[in-house]
């Protein structure tokens, strides 16, 4: 048992946790398990230490390089920073090899990783530190300014890397380390859900959870081999990025190309120059990448993955027509760690999110948990090899986990073939004059207009209709923004789709507000109105 028992004390009681589906042999583990041994140490033991593990435009690390640096950092954590098992350690960094080394070092030493998005500010960092009672922070010196402003009674040590004190401490440390002998159901990481105002929700994930997701989505959709090179835009602090850029490649002995600032041009340049084979990014990014394909050679790609938001059919079709590659859509959640509904090239139905992947079950339910008939929109309920475990938030746990199922907050429908189709986020349904209008439906139509590059649809309060459909649009040619074009788009929409869904308000914007993971921040659009 961890010496610091914070997570034990705050995990939800067993009766509040979801039902788990762990019958298959690949999801069964011994009682004592440190996930690092399978993800990193085993490659050294099997004689593959010289294989490339991490790449950037400036550097190449082998598995042995990562192993030795992680071991040295683990010594620093224990010997110099006073880490005891169960301590939470904050990680603040863009995607780079040293962040990965720190991630592994924390778990090797028996700590619990709390990785944070690079754009978070002092107030948000302080909230996270106070919530999780974090005593140690490891931070990229490029992001030191906000970190140095943090003041918390819990935070005892800050250490910085990139030509700073962490490397100085590492220099004298051994390159071997005896991993902490953790249990399979010890917490290895805490993920904070989107938004850090008030009391944010902390989701806990075990060592076994981390290995289980490596057996699920990659085998189902990607079929990775050691020759694969992964790349993507999501931050490693986002579990989509952690899985796709660290856990999955390393579980299968492959490699990952890390970008600190993943602009579309840098993403495409890396794919071209380094013959990347698997790319993961958000729907908005896939649309921009498609528009730039004539400038780069992406013929090395064999798998493309989209998550974070639902993938509009027009984006899928445009990419497929340009490359012949089928983008794999998927839905996951921080609460369940990674993707649980998706598809592969054999069973894909364009426009649908897909089917429950190996290890998961899903259904559509009403407000009372009763399963609905096919083709009826309702709440998405999921259970499987991972599940929601909020720390110290019993009221939120009861909302998310009902009768053993995880209720994700998404509105889906299931067709006659069993495929799940996204309808809306629970809070993105627009009810106007008695009509239920899903924002994603309106967006999918608008994205087929020849002048529209990006759009985000929200509902705005209205005295007469209850809500109005408001479309926030980024034009391909911003000089065309004019009231005449707004009217033209509205009339075109009425001819293209059901007229009651047309956007009665249109705003032309320079850009859409987005999170670091590429999700459109619709709440900001509502606030601006």
């Amino acid at each position: 048992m961890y010496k610091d028992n914070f997570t034990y004390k705050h995990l939800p009681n067993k009766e509040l946790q979801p039902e788990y589906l762990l019958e298959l042999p690949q999801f069964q583990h011994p009682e004592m398990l440190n996930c690092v041994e399978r993800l990193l140490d085993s490659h050294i033991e099997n004689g593959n230490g010289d294989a490339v593990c991490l790449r950037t435009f400036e550097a190449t690390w082998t598995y042995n390089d990562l192993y030795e640096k992680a071991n040295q950092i683990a010594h620093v954590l224990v010997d110099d920073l006073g880490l005891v098992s169960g301590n939470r350690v904050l990680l603040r960094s863009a995607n780079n090899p040293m962040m990965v080394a720190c991630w592994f070092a924390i778990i090797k030493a028996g700590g619990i990783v709390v990785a944070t998005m690079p754009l978070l500010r002092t107030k948000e960092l302080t909230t996270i530190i106070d919530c999780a009672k974090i005593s140690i922070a490891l931070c990229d010196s490029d992001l030191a300014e906000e970190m140095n402003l943090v003041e918390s009674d819990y935070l005892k040590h800050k250490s910085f890397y990139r030509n700073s004190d962490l490397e100085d401490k590492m220099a004298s440390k051994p390159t071997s380390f005896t991993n902490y002998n953790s249990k399979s159901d010890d917490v290895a990481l805490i993920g904070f859900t989107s938004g850090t105002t008030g009391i944010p929700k902390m989701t806990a994930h075990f060592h076994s959870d981390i290995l289980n997701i490596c057996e699920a989505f990659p085998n189902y959709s990607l079929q990775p081999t050691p020759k694969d090179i992964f790349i993507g835009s999501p931050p490693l602090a986002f579990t989509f990025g952690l899985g796709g850029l660290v856990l999955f490649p390393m579980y299968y002995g492959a490699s990952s190309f890390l970008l600190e600032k993943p602009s579309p041009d840098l993403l495409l340049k890396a794919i071209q120059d380094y013959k990347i084979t698997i790319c993961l990014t958000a729907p908005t990014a896939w649309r921009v990448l498609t528009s730039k394909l004539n400038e780069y050679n992406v013929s090395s790609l064999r798998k493309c993955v989209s998550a974070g938001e639902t993938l509009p059919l027009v984006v899928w079709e445009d990419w497929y027509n340009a490359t012949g590659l089928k983008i794999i859509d998927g839905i996951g959640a921080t609460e369940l760690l990674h993707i649980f509904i998706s598809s592969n090239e054999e069973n894909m139905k364009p426009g649908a999110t897909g089917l429950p992947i190996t290890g998961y079950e899903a259904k559509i339910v009403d407000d009372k948990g009763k399963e609905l008939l096919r083709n009826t929109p309702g709440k998405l309920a999921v259970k499987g090899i991972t599940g929601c475990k909020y720390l110290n938030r019993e009221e939120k746990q009861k909302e998310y986990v009902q009768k053993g199922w995880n209720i994700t907050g998404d509105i889906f429908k299931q067709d006659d073939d069993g495929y799940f189709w996204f309808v809306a986020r629970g809070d993105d349904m627009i009810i106007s004059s008695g009509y239920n209008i899903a924002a994603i439906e309106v967006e999918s139509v608008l994205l087929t207009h020849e002048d529209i590059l990006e759009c985000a649809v929200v509902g705005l309060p209205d005295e007469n209709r209850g809500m109005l459909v408001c479309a926030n649009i980024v034009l391909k040619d911003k000089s065309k923004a004019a009231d005449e074009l707004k009217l033209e788009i509205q009339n075109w929409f009425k001819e293209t789709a059901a007229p009651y869904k047309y956007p009665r308000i249109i705003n032309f914007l320079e850009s859409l507000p987005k999170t670091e993971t590429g999700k459109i921040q619709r709440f900001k659009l509502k606030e601006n109105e």
Side-chain angles (χ1 to χ4, degrees), residues 42 49 101 236 243 315 325 500:
S42 65
L236 299 183
V315 176
L325 293 167
Y500 71 85

Side-chain angles (χ1 to χ4, degrees), residues 139-322:
C139 180
D140 187 326
S141 59
D142 281 1
L143 300 173
E145 184 177 357
E146 295 288 335
M147 192 74 244
N148 280 326
L149 294 173
V150 171
E151 292 183 6
S152 169
D153 292 338
Y154 297 107
L155 189 62
K156 307 303 180 188
H157 300 284
K158 303 173 189 175
S159 188
F160 298 88
Y161 67 82
R162 201 187 295 257
N163 303 314
S164 194
D165 68 291
L166 183 56
E167 287 99 337
D168 293 341
K169 294 184 177 80
M170 288 168 62
S172 62
K173 302 300 183 186
T175 55
S176 59
F177 184 85
T178 302
N179 295 336
Y180 179 79
N181 193 26
S182 52
K183 295 169 65 178
S184 63
D185 61 355
D186 279 338
V187 175
L189 71 87
I190 295 172
F192 277 77
T193 58
S194 299
T196 52
T197 55
I199 305 174
K201 297 185 293 258
M202 299 181 280
T203 64
H205 297 290
F206 299 149
H207 284 260
S208 56
D209 294 333
I210 288 171
L211 297 187
N212 283 344
I213 65 167
C214 296
E215 283 284 352
F217 175 70
N219 272 332
Y220 186 85
S221 297
L222 306 179
Q223 299 80 48
T225 75
K227 293 182 180 179
D228 277 312
I229 307 172
F230 289 67
I231 197 170
S233 60
L236 299 183
F238 181 38
T239 53
F240 176 40
L242 175 67
L245 298 176
V246 177
L247 305 181
F248 300 164
M250 297 187 65
Y251 192 85
Y252 294 92
S255 62
S256 184
F257 194 100
L258 300 178
L259 292 166
E260 296 201 34
K261 296 179 179 178
S263 69
D265 285 300
L266 286 179
L267 201 62
L268 289 165
K269 176 176 171 53
I271 292 169
Q272 171 184 274
D273 294 354
Y274 290 85
K275 303 295 185 285
I276 307 294
T277 59
I278 299 175
C279 181
L280 308 94
T281 191
T284 49
W286 282 116
R287 188 168 179 84
V288 177
L289 294 178
T290 306
S291 71
K292 292 177 168 286
L293 280 173
N294 62 330
E295 303 171 40
Y296 298 91
N297 180 351
V298 298
S299 60
S300 61
L301 283 177
R302 68 177 192 86
K303 299 284 183 180
C304 305
V305 181
S306 178
E309 288 195 311
T310 193
L311 179 68
L313 179 58
V314 64
V315 176
W316 188 96
E317 290 175 335
D318 287 348
W319 181 263
Y320 177 72
N321 292 334

Side-chain angles (χ1 to χ4, degrees), residues 436-506:
N436 286 345
I437 304 167
I440 185 65
E441 288 183 292
V442 181
E443 291 170 2
S444 296
V445 174
L446 289 170
L447 286 171
T448 65
H449 191 282
E450 61 183 7
D451 289 321
I452 295 175
L453 176 64
E454 292 184 292
C455 66
V457 170
V458 297
L460 299 180
D462 179 72
E463 232 176 79
N464 298 319
R465 296 178 178 272
M467 297 184 85
L468 294 179
V469 177
C470 171
N472 298 278
I473 291 170
V474 178
L475 295 171
K476 293 176 182 176
D477 180 356
K478 296 181 177 63
S479 67
K480 287 188 174 183
D483 288 343
E484 292 79 12
L485 182 56
K486 292 180 182 180
L487 182 59
E488 188 273 317
I489 290 172
Q490 287 171 326
N491 290 333
W492 165 86
F493 190 103
K494 293 174 192 175
E495 296 293 324
T496 307
Y500 71 85
K501 298 178 184 177
Y502 90 93
R504 293 175 181 271
I505 300 171
I506 290 179

Side-chain angles (χ1 to χ4, degrees), residues 1-8 30-38 41 67 70-71 74-75 77-78 83-87 103-113 176-188 207:
M1 179 177 279
Y2 288 149
K3 290 182 179 177
D4 180 341
N5 64 358
F6 172 86
T7 52
Y8 297 120
E31 181 184 3
M32 306 309 294
L33 175 74
N34 188 314
C35 65
V36 171
E37 290 164 6
R38 174 63 179 82
D41 298 15
Y67 172 77
N71 287 338
H75 278 292
L77 286 167
V78 174
L83 181 141
V84 300
S85 61
N87 282 168
W103 193 95
F104 280 108
I106 294 164
I107 296 179
K108 276 177 166 285
I112 298 170
V113 178
S176 59
F177 184 85
T178 302
N179 295 336
Y180 179 79
N181 193 26
S182 52
K183 295 169 65 178
S184 63
D185 61 355
D186 279 338
V187 175
H207 284 260

